[in-house]
Amino acid sequence: MLDLLVSRLLGGGKSRKELEALEGATTMLAGYAAKDFNAAFATMVQALRQIDNQERSNPKKRAKAFLYAEDTSRRYYHQLLAQLVRLLERQELSAHNLYHMVLGYQDALITCYQSLLSADSALERSLGKGVAPQIFCRTLALIADSAMVRMLRYEALETAQWGQVNRLYAQAEQLGLQRVAVAPYGGKEGERSIEQEFLRMQLLYLSQPECLTPLQIATLNDWLQRNLTVMQVDMELAPEAQSFVLGLEGFRPPTQLKKREEGADKRYLNTRPLIARAQNMVKQLQQGQDCKALSLPTAMTPRDALAMFDRVSRCWSRSHYPKRRDERQATPELVLLYQGVPTILETIKSPPEPSQSQASFSTRVHSRAGVSTVMVDESMLSDTASSSMWLLEDISSQGIGLRQHNTVAKRPVINDLLAVRYQQKLRIGVVRRIAMEDGRQYIGVEIVAEEPQMVQLRSVSGVTLEAIFAVGQDEGQRFRTLLLPSQFEPRPDPYTLLYKGREYQVTLSADVRFYSGGNLFPFSVVEQKAA
């Protein structure tokens, strides 16, 4: 199977024979994929490596074989990427194997293409006319795809990846190829440039993907491919217009332009044209345009699309770049985390019983700061509600940083509504940031409400449901709010709030805070009913 695929990918010479070889390889891969998709891709990766080793003395032949191999498998590659996004969005365990399969395929092709891009200027003679721009473009596209796939899992990009992409772009720029329009995958996917593929990775990184869902990251990646024609990499410094700087000789991502950073390897990014396009998307979504009409996936809600474009337009701006509002202090403590309104209600009804003997024990925990010893109150172990144990690493006036301590049945996702019991109090928070390190999840949680208590909410028709009353906080402002399940649909009529034997007539605000696992409804009290 492997030898036959290698021979068909290497087959060529005359135009008709090349087409027959490609068609034969495509048919073979389709046949393998129908029987065993994983084995088909594993065989393709093996074939690429074997060709790279066998044909070292013939770069033209290797180049044709590599291009054929990618063209042959491209349809399946797109299917794998789409499937990976769906599985990660749903937190399916099968995403793990698919993730490594996709990365293995990308890395194999990147290695093969890079072996052809020698440092000398005789690439056209060694590869054939017009082949070098295509290989540069495909290589940078695969590196950007690989970065995007790692971002889908909230994994940090390694310094070697930044060195790799910076070095390749510098080489293309030196050869004057960076803005040559090429159709690397034929007419169906349109023309693009080496510069655009280089920029895609930079802009994805600057979008703070750790604050986006997998579907939002993948959607943004596709949108950038269609809209990066409005941007370019500047060689001359113009600080009034530019927002970011990068060094082609370094191993670092782009950073904010804060001073006159100059040098032969420095390049600058003016993101204003791209921000204008993102803000235009915000405007259209606010006017009620649906996602399909805007060439966005139908799986994405207009609310999530609006949040994504609003955020990235700020991330690409020097003046509005989202920053941490205040310093966090290290306070190692083991805490309990509850996900979703039903589970939060459960722990409010039956909170952990305080230990009569003040019994506690010490345990050693690992954090980013190193190994610490923390005391654990035994009352935490008596909690009957569904919860998971996390390490509280740091705390600020508006948020906390948590590290996964034990096995979690379902990991929190971006925009998850949850409660955290720490410092002997229960607080309501929303997941704003995620990172994965060594198989452990780190989450940044914004505290949105405190002092949660169970109440009942009765509609004018007499239907009563349990709700959570809490004191909300936003930018230092405190307000009354109700936490209700995601499926709750408010009516315009007043409701009756029952709390500690008293009844209040209340109206729910239209300014609803939508989260995954429940929503926050600010409300106002119309009147207190007589006891």
Side-chain angles (χ1 to χ4, degrees), residues 183-430:
Y185 306 107
K188 286 185 178 180
E189 296 190 40
E191 289 188 341
R192 60 186 77 177
S193 69
I194 293 163
E195 183 179 56
Q196 286 169 238
E197 292 301 340
F198 175 71
L199 281 169
R200 178 158 64 96
M201 182 170 166
Q202 317 298 317
L203 271 296
L204 275 174
Y205 169 80
L206 291 172
S207 304
Q208 294 187 349
E210 64 272 20
C211 301
L212 302 174
T213 68
L215 180 58
Q216 286 175 324
I217 294 168
T219 301
L220 179 62
N221 177 69
D222 293 342
W223 185 84
L224 284 170
Q225 287 184 315
R226 300 192 299 270
N227 288 273
L228 277 172
T229 51
V230 299
M231 266 192 72
Q232 64 181 31
V233 179
D234 297 331
M235 299 181 74
E236 300 295 329
L237 175 63
E240 295 302 316
Q242 295 152 346
S243 299
F244 301 96
V245 60
L246 55 95
L248 295 183
E249 292 178 2
F251 293 78
R252 296 177 58 194
T255 56
Q256 278 190 294
L257 183 61
K258 296 180 180 178
K259 56 183 179 180
R260 291 190 66 85
E261 297 184 55
E262 296 181 90
D265 76 316
K266 293 292 186 286
R267 299 295 180 269
Y268 310 95
L269 305 181
N270 176 3
T271 51
R272 289 179 183 177
L274 197 64
I275 291 171
R277 290 211 172 183
Q279 289 176 338
N280 184 49
M281 294 292 286
V282 169
K283 184 178 179 181
Q284 292 183 76
L285 287 161
Q286 287 174 334
Q287 291 172 347
Q289 281 272 31
D290 65 14
C291 288
K292 187 177 181 180
L294 296 172
S295 300
L296 301 175
T298 53
M300 175 170 278
T301 65
R303 186 185 302 120
D304 288 344
L306 178 61
M308 178 188 74
F309 283 111
D310 178 64
R311 180 172 185 83
V312 300
S313 64
R314 287 183 283 118
C315 288
W316 297 334
S317 164
R318 182 165 55 178
S319 56
H320 297 98
Y321 190 80
K323 297 176 183 176
R324 184 169 288 176
R325 285 172 283 189
D326 46 18
E327 287 299 315
R328 293 190 171 185
Q329 298 178 341
T331 54
E333 175 187 346
L334 284 178
V335 302
L336 293 177
L337 182 146
Y338 312 86
Q339 292 174 254
V341 169
T343 306
I344 300 171
L345 271 169
E346 190 181 343
T347 191
I348 291 174
K349 289 179 188 176
S350 304
E353 295 182 8
S355 175
Q356 299 296 321
S357 60
Q358 299 293 315
S360 62
F361 60 90
S362 65
T363 185
R364 291 168 67 82
V365 294
H366 294 265
S367 69
R368 286 172 172 168
V371 179
S372 307
T373 300
V374 298
M375 300 302 295
V376 181
D377 189 329
E378 286 189 357
S379 65
M380 291 177 64
L381 307 179
S382 68
D383 194 353
T384 57
S386 177
S387 63
S388 53
M389 193 171 287
W390 293 68
L391 174 65
L392 174 63
E393 286 204 325
D394 50 57
I395 186 170
S396 71
S397 61
Q398 301 191 26
I400 55 176
L402 300 176
R403 178 186 186 271
Q404 179 186 338
H405 181 67
N406 58 8
T407 303
V408 179
K410 185 180 180 183
R411 283 173 168 161
V413 298
I414 293 295
N415 210 42
D416 247 3
L417 183 70
L418 45 79
V420 184
R421 191 180 296 282
Y422 64 97
Q423 296 177 347
Q424 299 181 335
K425 289 185 179 180
L426 191 66
R427 295 171 175 85
I428 308 298
V430 177

Side-chain angles (χ1 to χ4, degrees), residues 1 8 96 105 215 217 282 301 341 413 449 456 460 482 485 522:
M1 173 177 168
R8 291 200 179 178
H96 179 77
Y105 171 77
L215 180 58
I217 294 168
V282 169
T301 65
V341 169
V413 298
Q456 290 184 315
V460 291
L482 289 172

